[in-house]
Amino acid sequence: MSGADGNAAFDALRRAMAENAEQPEGPARNARAEQLLAEAEKLNIPLAVIEALGHQLKVYNYSSEKAKMFVPFARLLRMWDEHPEDFDEYETHSLHWVFKWMTTGMLDQPHIPLAAMEKWLGEMEHRYRLAGHSERAVRSAEYSVAAHVGDLERAERAYAAWLAADRDSMADCHACELHEQGWWQSQRGRDEEALDLWAPVLQGEFTCAHEPHAVLASSLRPLLRLGRLDEARANHLRGFRLVRSMESMRGAYADHVEFCALSGNEARGLELLAERPAYFTADGHPRSRLDFTAVVALLMDRLTELGLGERPVPGPAGRSWTAAGLAAHAREEALALAARFDERNGTTHVSEQARARMAQRPLVERLPLGVRAVRTAAAPVVAPAAPAPAREPGLPALVAEARRLSDTLQPNAVEAWAAVARAAEGVELDPRDRAEIADHEAMDLGPEGIELFERAAELYAEAGDLGEALAASARAAYVRALAGEVDEALTAVAGPYDEVLALYSADDTGVPQTASVLMSRARILMRRVQEGEDETFLTDAESAVREVLALVEGRAGDDVRLAARVAEAQAMLAELAARTGDLEAAAELFAGAAARFVAAGLPWFAVEYEARLAGLRHHLGDPAGTERALRAALEHGGPHLEAVGRAQLHLQLAEVVAGQGLAEEAAEHALEAAHWADEAGEGPTLGALARHQLGGFLLRLGRWAEAAEVLESALPDLSAETHGEGTVVQTQWWLGDCLSALGEHREAAQRRLQAAETARHWPEQHDHATLAHLAAESLGAAGLPAEADQAYARAGALWRELGNVHGLVRALRARAWLALRAEDGADRARELMADAVRECEAALGDTRADEAARQRLVGELGHTHRQFGDLLARSAPEDADDGSIQAVLEEALAQVVEAIVVFASLGDDALDARTGAELAAGWLAADLSRPAEAAARARAVLDAYGDADGPDDTARSRRAEAEQMLRLMEGQDS
């Protein structure tokens, strides 16, 4: 095929290759490249075949079928050697560029002999020298060969020569070079140096198709080793999002699985394996398969070590796998692959690296990531474990320790008495010991402990302690109240109450026993208050509480139990004050109760009341007081705070500090809240809410990728029933914002449309309109103009109903620009922009608007005229006659001049908008061959900003453009 038909077919082939290059990596794209090569061969145009071979080679390289790229390269090289004139400048450059891929790509294929690689390395050096290229890329390739086989001396020499050689057009991009240089430093144990090298890539200064993807993955282990855990977490969330859909990045994907195994995130590691089943078997790139199977073995060994060896796990297709079974399979496969490389290389280096990788130990017990997580093992005991004694203590020592702990109200007293009970099996104890064992066992049973409390009372009586017997009976009565039997509890406590007062008045029992009975009665009466707001209930409860205080206050001394009675009674008075509406008094009483617990050496008892204090301070509009109370609760709870309580406190604190603009700290607390909610088994409820908040804070910090990962993780658990429709919509909204910032516009549109559909049913429609408008923006950015126009039309209708002229006008302007992109859409674009002008003018005719609103509308009108002018200028067809083009430009200039007049009416508030329009008018005047008018526009801009440059970037830019225009126009005048 030749001539015009051949050129047209070649152009069509090039378009097809460009379209295929944009498709996702994988076999489908590769197969299409093979078809396109077959089509190229039919054209009888050598350059078409060269370009199709180059395209095929590139898609193979960026896929799991890298082994296929050697065939098209060999053919290209033969064509070059035979007919170099068939290659244009771009293809000549490309041929030499991919030489690097071939030379280093052979390292990843153990069937290619080492001698062949050395031969290709020499061939590369020879051809680069002939082409006049620097040796930088050659020395980089030599370093790769030496590092792979474990020749460290040669690798260091080549590395130094690589860095010393000049950068030229054959050098890898900055991002790729820095990645490899940092990787070498980390391999040599120089983690800090590696991270310094990677910093420009991680910060976005240098990027490419596979960077920062690979650097983010490679940085994970060094960051964990250095204890830079926040950075490691962020790089995992950012990096995994980038490599998730890229089939060619199995090695980087393996780094993320490894990170999960080393940071206590084994469950997430399993999720990652399940997402990529093809990675277990794809054999086109043996080196990355070795990397993957090695970290699979590492992860499975970790699960087996945690006692989960029989857990079902994702693995190669064709059979079911357990963690232990997959560990053995993956290890065997990894070592077999490593052995093939070592046999080829004549060293043991690859096997040594594989074994070392599989033998790694966790670097962090658990690094919370903020995303959904299910623990693969039981949560660790939060309370610090006591050091193991040299030998098991005897029963008397156990009893003494248990009594010490219970007398001082230590958190583990119940467990200590349980240890006494186990040690006393088959041993005859005195009634007092048996009473205390039964008493504490009953405390551990809650509502099920009534009978044991009664048994304890009998044993105390048998031991001669009638006061403690009555206290145990009163505890049994309180347990009835906890079970909902408040009236029965009051009846049951009446007898012990009367009897203990009689005993106390006769000096037959002490303050502690009497206080215990009085406190149980007060607690029961407080339960009655909680069930009903009868004024009598409140009075009775307050009297009972004050009776406790009258007995105990001033008599506590060193008795921790009595000090605790005073603190608890004060907290009860706080509860009663809150119920009567005296919130200030309640807050002071709760604060006092907490302070007493802390002073008594019982800070863990203060947590509940500090949490209540925080709620009251928040209600009273005291954010500083709220923050102090929450921080105190977290501090005082220490290791004894239950996971769910810790999660709640962190989540509340996150909201408080966020209100002060401290988004960074708020994110830290939300992350902790998500972690502890997962630990408590509350991941789908409290954990989802914490992830929702965390995503919002990360979004506020501009950490789009991390926020997107967290929000996507939260959405499956969020529900209107549990969390409210508003939370679900806000999460989708935030996620849409993240995806938009990341350039994932189609996905952003989907999230925004989902949110808009829910908000469509709400009485207030502002959110619905905003979401529809945002969805339209995303659809337009995604290259879906028809869908975008439909969404803008929906938003415009909603803005009209809401009376929001600004939203309506902006929707009309956006639709006008979309229409201009369509074939024969210029007339429709004009109509829509004219509608936008009319809407502004109509709103300005409404005398009800205040001055500030009018000023905003005037500004909107000015921007609409300005955009109308720009749209008209771009609407002139390139093939139109000069008269038609001049007429359109005149119309465009008229609109821009109108914008100048409107902006001028706003004075200095619209200075930048006016000067921008002046410059646009100047260029239009120049296009209309009116240099004097253009020069006048330029002088108007210079006059507007005066002589001084000033610190304003806009002013400097406008002055520079005006000066350029003036020079050009003065040249035309002369």
Side-chain angles (χ1 to χ4, degrees):
M1 187 182 296
S2 60
D5 291 341
N7 291 334
F10 193 6
D11 289 342
L13 176 71
R14 282 173 164 163
R15 287 194 297 272
M17 289 190 292
E19 290 171 4
N20 193 46
E22 296 300 317
Q23 297 305 305
E25 296 177 350
R29 187 170 75 158
N30 295 352
R32 177 60 176 150
E34 292 161 8
Q35 293 174 357
L36 292 172
L37 174 59
E39 293 176 17
E41 289 169 337
K42 298 174 184 176
L43 299 182
N44 196 28
I45 301 175
L47 185 58
V49 176
I50 291 167
E51 291 186 13
L53 284 167
H55 173 66
Q56 189 182 74
L57 192 155
K58 288 171 187 174
V59 299
Y60 284 156
N61 184 61
Y62 292 110
S63 78
S64 61
E65 298 181 303
K66 291 178 186 283
K68 291 184 175 182
M69 65 182 180
F70 299 103
V71 172
F73 178 71
R75 186 175 171 188
L76 273 172
L77 196 59
R78 186 172 64 250
M79 293 176 72
W80 167 262
D81 288 339
E82 293 174 355
H83 295 285
E85 69 278 4
D86 289 341
F87 288 69
D88 62 14
E89 183 179 356
Y90 177 81
E91 294 302 329
T92 300
H93 177 273
S94 294
L95 177 69
H96 286 81
W97 179 268
V98 297
F99 226 110
K100 301 178 297 183
W101 296 358
M102 299 304 108
T103 307
T104 56
M106 291 177 182
L107 295 173
D108 304 325
Q109 306 293 334
H111 68 279
I112 299 178
L114 188 62
M117 286 190 291
E118 295 287 4
K119 173 182 175 296
W120 273 100
L121 187 60
E123 183 77 8
M124 177 182 175
E125 184 170 10
H126 173 68
R127 288 178 180 267
Y128 273 38
R129 189 181 299 115
L130 287 177
H133 296 306
S134 163
E135 67 170 11
R136 188 178 182 91
V138 178
R139 299 284 76 83
S140 173
E142 181 188 4
Y143 144 80
S144 296
V145 172
H148 172 70
V149 302
D151 187 344
L152 302 184
E153 185 177 340
R154 182 187 181 192
E156 289 284 17
R157 281 199 314 272
Y159 181 89
W162 165 24
L163 268 62
D166 293 336
R167 279 189 59 84
D168 67 351
S169 62
M170 282 298 112
D172 282 341
C173 75
H174 282 289
C176 288
E177 282 205 333
L178 290 173
H179 174 223
E180 188 60 36
Q181 291 163 17
W183 180 86
W184 179 242
Q185 297 301 326
S186 71
Q187 289 297 108
R188 303 296 287 149
R190 300 186 284 262
D191 288 338
E192 291 281 7
E193 290 88 337
L195 289 162
D196 287 343
L197 283 164
W198 288 331
V201 183
L202 293 172
Q203 294 163 8
E205 184 179 343
F206 302 122
T207 62
C208 71
H210 279 184
E211 295 296 352
H213 316 41
V215 163
L216 286 163
S218 294
S219 72
L220 297 174
R221 249 193 312 174
L223 287 168
L224 287 178
R225 286 195 292 255
L226 292 170
R228 291 162 60 172
L229 303 184
D230 289 341
E231 294 172 72
R233 175 194 303 112
N235 286 6
H236 169 63
L237 295 177
R238 278 179 65 200
F240 180 68
R241 185 170 194 85
L242 292 172
V243 303
R244 174 186 273 142
S245 62
M246 299 188 73
E247 186 202 42
S248 64
M249 300 202 72
R250 178 165 54 181
Y253 201 99
D255 290 340
H256 287 280
V257 176
E258 177 184 54
F259 165 81
C260 293
L262 298 178
S263 64
N265 287 285
E266 298 85 5
R268 179 165 172 85
L270 291 177
E271 291 174 4
L272 267 57
L273 295 185
E275 283 194 32
R276 277 291 186 179
Y279 276 171
F280 286 100
T281 53
D283 57 5
H285 191 245
R287 183 54 199 258
S288 67
R289 187 175 182 185
L290 167 56
D291 292 336
F292 187 75
T293 52
V295 300
V296 169
L298 170 69
L299 178 61
M300 296 306 125
D301 281 345
R302 178 64 182 150
L303 290 169
T304 303
E305 184 180 307
L306 292 170
L308 299 168
E310 297 307 308
R311 174 176 178 154
V313 294
R319 59 167 281 192
S320 298
W321 295 93
T322 63
L326 184 57
H329 172 83
R331 177 176 289 98
E332 180 181 357
E333 184 169 301
L335 291 175
L337 281 165
R340 289 175 57 199
F341 281 104
D342 284 341
E343 182 181 3
R344 187 268 305 274
N345 299 338
T347 68
T348 60
H349 183 66
V350 176
S351 292
E352 289 167 2
Q353 285 189 314
R355 287 192 175 91
R357 193 168 198 180
M358 291 187 286
Q360 291 178 99
R361 303 298 304 152
L363 297 168
V364 184
E365 181 186 351
R366 178 91 186 276
L367 175 60
L369 301 178
V371 294
R372 298 167 81 203
V374 178
R375 281 201 64 87
T376 49
V381 177
V382 177
R391 56 193 178 89
E392 193 69 27
L395 183 58
L398 287 172
V399 171
E401 177 62 8
R403 196 162 282 149
R404 182 189 70 81
L405 293 174
S406 56
D407 287 347
T408 55
L409 300 180
Q410 297 302 302
N412 46 351
V414 170
E415 289 78 4
W417 280 108
V420 170
R422 290 192 297 272
E425 289 181 6
V427 177
E428 186 65 33
L429 296 176
D430 64 45
R432 177 74 191 197
D433 291 342
R434 286 187 285 141
E436 290 185 84
I437 290 172
D439 205 1
H440 286 86
E441 185 179 349
M443 293 177 192
D444 197 34
L445 292 175
E448 306 299 320
I450 295 175
E451 291 183 7
L452 268 175
F453 276 129
E454 295 293 1
R455 175 61 181 152
E458 294 171 1
L459 289 167
Y460 281 127
E462 186 179 337
D465 191 340
L466 297 180
E468 203 60 61
L470 292 169
S473 294
R475 286 192 282 275
Y478 176 54
V479 168
R480 289 186 185 277
L482 290 177
E485 301 175 4
V486 177
D487 291 338
E488 294 84 345
L490 283 171
T491 301
V493 82
Y497 171 72
D498 290 337
E499 291 177 45
V500 81
L501 289 177
L503 284 174
Y504 179 68
S505 64
D507 287 332
D508 289 333
T509 193
V511 173
Q513 294 80 8
T514 308
S516 182
V517 175
L518 267 57
M519 181 57 78
S520 290
R521 179 171 176 269
R523 288 171 177 169
I524 293 168
L525 287 166
M526 289 296 294
R527 292 291 296 182
R528 189 170 69 163
V529 168
Q530 291 164 8
E531 291 188 355
E533 292 292 338
D534 190 290
E535 190 173 337
T536 303
F537 294 172
L538 290 164
T539 303
D540 291 347
E542 182 176 355
S543 297
V545 173
R546 294 198 180 280
E547 189 175 17
V548 173
L549 287 171
L551 173 69
V552 178
E553 209 161 19
R555 300 182 184 180
D558 295 331
D559 191 326
V560 171
R561 293 172 300 172
L562 293 181
R565 299 295 186 208
V566 176
E568 184 179 355
Q570 197 163 359
M572 288 177 171
L573 292 177
E575 172 72 23
L576 293 170
R579 288 186 173 274
T580 59
D582 192 348
L583 302 187
E584 282 287 1
E588 290 180 14
L589 286 163
F590 275 130
R596 284 180 179 272
F597 276 122
V598 173
L602 304 170
W604 48 88
F605 283 122
V607 174
E608 175 185 352
Y609 307 116
E610 285 163 336
R612 291 293 309 278
L613 173 61
L616 287 172
R617 285 295 171 205
H618 177 72
H619 188 79
L620 290 166
D622 178 10
T626 306
E627 181 184 350
R628 282 195 303 273
L630 290 170
R631 291 191 188 280
L634 281 168
E635 176 190 349
H636 294 147
H640 309 293
L641 190 58
E642 291 185 357
V644 68
R646 192 180 297 274
Q648 290 167 337
L649 289 171
H650 275 296
L651 190 56
Q652 292 173 55
L653 191 52
E655 294 175 356
V656 170
V657 299
Q660 301 170 20
L662 304 174
E664 191 81 48
E665 186 183 352
E668 293 171 6
H669 286 296
L671 176 67
E672 287 292 318
H675 167 67
W676 290 109
D678 291 336
E679 292 289 309
E682 296 289 337
T685 51
L686 184 60
L689 183 59
R691 278 181 266 284
H692 158 81
Q693 294 281 44
L694 174 59
F697 297 140
L698 291 171
L699 171 66
R700 194 183 302 182
L701 292 165
R703 291 155 61 177
W704 318 112
E706 295 170 68
E709 281 292 304
V710 170
L711 293 168
E712 286 175 344
S713 175
L715 269 175
D717 289 327
L718 290 172
S719 68
E721 296 74 22
T722 302
H723 304 94
E725 272 192 347
T727 300
V728 178
V729 167
Q730 183 65 78
T731 304
Q732 292 169 324
W733 192 329
W734 282 337
L735 181 53
D737 291 347
C738 292
L739 295 170
S740 178
L742 292 169
E744 299 174 32
H745 299 297
R746 189 182 293 261
E747 294 78 5
Q750 180 184 359
R751 295 300 184 182
R752 287 167 165 175
L753 288 171
Q754 288 172 344
E757 182 59 25
T758 302
R760 183 168 67 88
H761 305 288
W762 293 355
E764 209 291 314
Q765 288 288 284
H766 185 272
D767 286 345
H768 181 199
T770 303
L771 285 162
H773 202 118
L774 290 170
E777 290 179 4
S778 294
L779 289 165
L784 299 169
E787 292 84 347
D789 182 73
Q790 185 178 359
Y792 275 125
R794 174 184 177 186
L798 290 166
W799 291 130
R800 187 185 296 280
E801 291 175 12
L802 290 166
N804 188 317
V805 179
H806 299 278
L808 171 58
V809 167
R810 290 168 189 177
L812 287 168
R813 293 199 307 240
R815 293 182 68 195
W817 285 108
L818 285 170
L820 187 64
R821 288 159 53 184
E823 189 175 353
D824 299 326
D827 290 343
R828 178 61 178 152
R830 283 167 170 263
E831 292 173 9
L832 287 163
M833 200 64 83
D835 287 344
V837 171
R838 282 192 291 271
E839 292 292 347
C840 284
E841 291 173 342
L844 283 167
D846 186 347
T847 57
R848 293 172 295 177
D850 61 32
E851 186 56 30
R854 285 184 60 80
Q855 293 288 90
R856 285 188 63 217
L857 283 169
V858 169
E860 199 72 75
L861 177 60
H863 289 296
T864 305
H865 279 300
R866 167 66 196 275
Q867 288 198 33
F868 202 166
D870 292 344
L871 180 139
L872 289 168
R874 297 184 195 181
S875 69
E878 293 182 2
D879 56 355
D881 60 80
D882 291 346
S884 298
I885 292 175
Q886 183 167 356
V888 171
L889 293 180
E890 288 283 7
E891 193 178 357
L893 179 57
Q895 288 290 341
V896 177
V897 169
E898 190 64 35
I900 295 169
V901 173
V902 172
F903 288 137
S905 72
L906 295 173
D908 290 342
D909 289 341
L911 175 62
D912 290 341
R914 176 170 67 83
T915 55
E918 287 276 14
L919 290 169
W923 293 119
L924 285 169
D927 289 341
L928 288 164
S929 301
R930 300 208 289 261
E933 182 179 344
R937 297 290 180 190
R939 292 190 190 94
V941 171
L942 294 173
D943 291 344
Y945 288 117
D947 295 330
D949 283 342
D952 189 328
D953 288 341
T954 301
R956 283 198 295 270
S957 172
R958 295 280 161 78
R959 284 180 57 84
E961 186 179 347
E963 288 166 354
Q964 177 193 20
M965 183 184 297
L966 198 56
R967 285 194 299 271
L968 290 171
M969 295 307 105
E970 288 172 345
Q972 289 184 26
D973 278 342
S974 62

